[in-house]
Amino acid sequence: MNSRSSSCGGSTRERLEGQGVHEPSVTALAAHLEMDEAEVAEGVVAANGYHSDSIDRPIEASGSTQQTGFVADLMGTEDPALALAENIQALKPHLAELDDRDRTLLELRFDAEMTQAEIGEELGMSQMHVSRLLARTCAHLREEILATS
């Protein structure tokens, strides 16, 4: 990108806007600068990195003056995968404190996604006993997590 293309976001745009072109297109900028459109587009993208905008700025529908919302409405939300990762990290020390049987039960149920009946068959116990052990272990982990947070 040469120095002329970096001016796409600045004086050339302002000059065209002064001539009545509200939002100059890449084609208009390229014609004015006598440059290739791809190079001008690259300059426009680069120039956008130097301008901040308020998140309270209204967004207008294309070709209209009707407001459709605010920039803040387009911003992301909390990532549920991040919350899951945080929960897993918080659980790790408490899982390490469990005995082998309880850890095995949790691994089979939540990692291998086996049903309680399948776990019972695998470990030689009833589905009801597996259910009770899982409920007790999950309640214990819940109490530990709440006590540390």
Side-chain angles (χ1 to χ4, degrees), residues 29 37-38 40 48 74 98 103-104 106 118 125 135 148-149:
L29 290 168
E37 285 187 31
V40 171
N48 286 338
L74 301 175
L98 295 176
R103 265 197 310 278
T104 300
L106 291 174
E118 291 169 334
M125 54 181 79
T148 59
S149 58

Side-chain angles (χ1 to χ4, degrees), residues 94 97 138-149:
H94 303 294
E97 295 172 358
C138 289
H140 171 73
L141 289 171
R142 190 175 303 108
E143 287 173 14
E144 293 294 319
I145 290 291
L146 291 174
T148 59
S149 58

